[in-house]
Amino acid sequence: MGATRSARTIYDENVGALDTYSFYLWGTNEVTNATISPSPVTFTADASDTTGSSGKVSLDLGASKYKLVLAAVKGSTTETTADGIKGVATYVGYANVDTRTTSTIRFVISSDGLTGESTATLTVMYDGLLTATPAGSWSDEDVDDVTNGTHGAYSITAGIYNRASGAVVGAENPLQASDFFGTAGAAYSATVQAGTYNFVVTFENAQTGKKYEYSDTIIVLANNNFSATVKVPDVIESAPLAPSDFKVGYIAPSSVNDGEYNAVLGWVDESSNERYFLVDVWDIPTSSTNAETAIATIASDADWTAAINGLATTNQKKYGEDFYGSSDKGWVSGSLLKNNTNLVLKLSLGHRYIMRIAAINDAVDATSANYAYATYDLNTAYTSTDTAYDTGTSYTPVPFYLADEDLTAADKTGYAKTTDLSSCANLYRLTYHLYGGTLAFDSTITGITSDVVAYLSQDAANGVVIHAPFKDYTATTATYPSLIKNGNRWTSWRVEQVDGALYDYDDEAANPLTDATENVTYYKPDNYKGCKNLDLFASYAVASADVSRFNDAEYAFVDGEVYFTEVTGKVTRVNDGYYTIDSGAGNVTLNYYYDKATDATKKKSANVAYTSLSMKITRSGSNSVVAQEDFTVSTTTRSCTFDTTPLTEGKYNVVVTGTYNGHVYTYAIVMEVKG
């Protein structure tokens, strides 16, 4: 029979109303840097709060910006320092407030972060006999076994343990069976630091060596000794119930170079007698015959067996009680020990995994346990308001992209995670290699030159839509999505670099589709129904080509093109290569203007546009960098602004660097800061 989980967590049910505590306030005035020394403040309970857990404290603060700490101490204390008060406090809260703009301060106080110790004094006893009125959960046979050792002598031990690692934090004390099954119960006491732990009662059979455990969460507040009664259900030779609501999601990689991702596992613990949870993970291979075949939904042992279908155990990994902290085995965070309900582990991109979970103790093993089977939930829908996509075929781009440009920024929320529900854990990387081209997704997301990466889950039924940039050679206005390299339009994707095989098109290369509304010709690649990582490389067709001779001299900087914006009394031009800056000038602007030079023979063509333009300022003599900026771009000028306030008096070297077609050009100005 499975043991039913306890309905309550062990904690102090009589912590007392807040008006029985003394409150102390301290902090810092962030405007004046003045310290506010710890001092008592008056607490007034909220009369409408019958729980006694809210109220107000009276403060005497001027108009300024503050970082404040509020601590609550049971009774009172003679401590006068912040550390001393925190050492005896039961609750503490923090607030940052600017009283120049608000008159409201809110503290939420808790024991989090406090290290004060408390003693938990517990009365531990059985919850009663099945045959009693009211009925408990213990059978007469199990009471006899534990009390009299009919089937081997039992010892009973109680202790408090770390929830993640299982390490002992509160004494492991023996309990006498006569007390445990008596009317008064057995006494247990331990002193531990504030925190949330497992309280575990262990019944160990000396003859069989098996252990049966009851556990529950115990919450210990700082400096708050308390007593409680713990009634333990019958766990002897009892198998734990299967967990419920087992879900697996993912956190997409933060880098396009990652080969792994974090899988997030969560479940509901339905038992109070498990020792740990066992997660069974199988990597379902993707052969040529099943790479595009969906895995059937798994909801039973029979479904699981059918999905494995004779696979070798080399495809299987089991994560159990020793998985916590094993980063070499894929652990990221969480624990599989008793009373935990979540875990994060590493999985490989481009693989399909099925998972199940069971609660384990000495009454069951991996073959006899009750399993719960995972569902796979991938969050947040994709939406788009851009009507310029392929309206002829209801073209919908696949969501969640990564590139050098931040496509997940707030103003580009159309590119978010998919909501596809799959019957396996599968996250694969779809990479569009632009191969020197420039991509525009829509009218707001343009100028992308780096590889674009989508992290997706297999949709074997419908497949994932592949981006098909329009290829209209005659269009005078941009049609999205578009992909162009040196004026040449995208024509197709290849599955290998440049000369590799074409991605499947169903003869659409020979029979392109036409959107009559847009008067645009485009190719529509087949949806991708696989689950492996997919790399697509752009191919381009030449519509026309311009030929021009590169004139290196035209890109060299000339006097007059690079200049500071002069400000009377603050920024003064001595000559083209020398400026004086007043030490109080604050922000100053450095400009590049290709047509600024006064000598007509030195003026450049408007076609001169550097690939990049930046400036760097170093202090003369030391070469230490004091400022470094890229120029921002307008129609004919580029400029950058920097703050001179931190600069001391003296001479500085200002070097402007422009790059084009692999060539580097520089221009130097001496800048003297004067008092």
Side-chain angles (χ1 to χ4, degrees), residues 311-349:
L311 291 177
T313 54
T314 52
N315 292 82
Q316 181 187 31
K317 289 185 178 179
K318 290 181 178 289
Y319 304 108
E321 59 185 327
D322 58 350
F323 188 54
Y324 172 76
S326 301
S327 55
D328 59 323
K329 298 179 181 178
W331 174 87
V332 178
S333 65
S335 176
L336 288 170
L337 291 182
K338 59 181 71 69
N339 293 331
N340 286 283
T341 56
N342 61 77
L343 183 75
V344 179
L345 58 85
K346 289 283 187 186
L347 294 177
S348 295
L349 289 168

Side-chain angles (χ1 to χ4, degrees), residues 139-155 177 181 204-208 236-237:
S139 68
D140 293 315
E141 292 80 5
D142 288 345
V143 172
D144 176 65
D145 266 358
V146 176
T147 304
N148 302 314
T150 303
H151 297 94
Y154 275 90
S155 61
F181 291 108
E204 183 172 4
N205 188 312
Q207 179 176 311
T208 64
I236 304 302
E237 298 182 355

Side-chain angles (χ1 to χ4, degrees), residues 73 79 81 106 204 237 268 281 304 319 374 442 495 538 569:
V73 177
E79 298 285 350
T81 66
R106 179 174 176 81
E204 183 172 4
E237 298 182 355
V268 175
V281 179
W304 180 266
Y319 304 108
D442 58 32
V495 293

Side-chain angles (χ1 to χ4, degrees), residues 432-444:
Y432 297 94
H433 299 273
L434 307 187
Y435 231 76
T438 300
L439 173 66
F441 273 137
D442 58 32
S443 55
T444 61

Side-chain angles (χ1 to χ4, degrees), residues 211-263:
K211 297 179 181 179
Y212 305 102
E213 299 173 340
Y214 162 80
S215 64
D216 209 342
T217 302
I218 181 169
I219 299 174
V220 178
L221 302 180
N223 301 298
N224 181 68
N225 299 337
F226 74 99
S227 301
T229 298
V230 180
K231 292 191 174 182
V232 179
D234 188 356
V235 295
I236 304 302
E237 298 182 355
S238 180
L241 298 174
S244 63
D245 201 26
F246 181 33
K247 289 184 178 180
V248 178
Y250 68 77
I251 301 172
S254 58
S255 167
V256 297
N257 297 315
D258 289 347
E260 297 177 315
Y261 65 98
N262 290 343

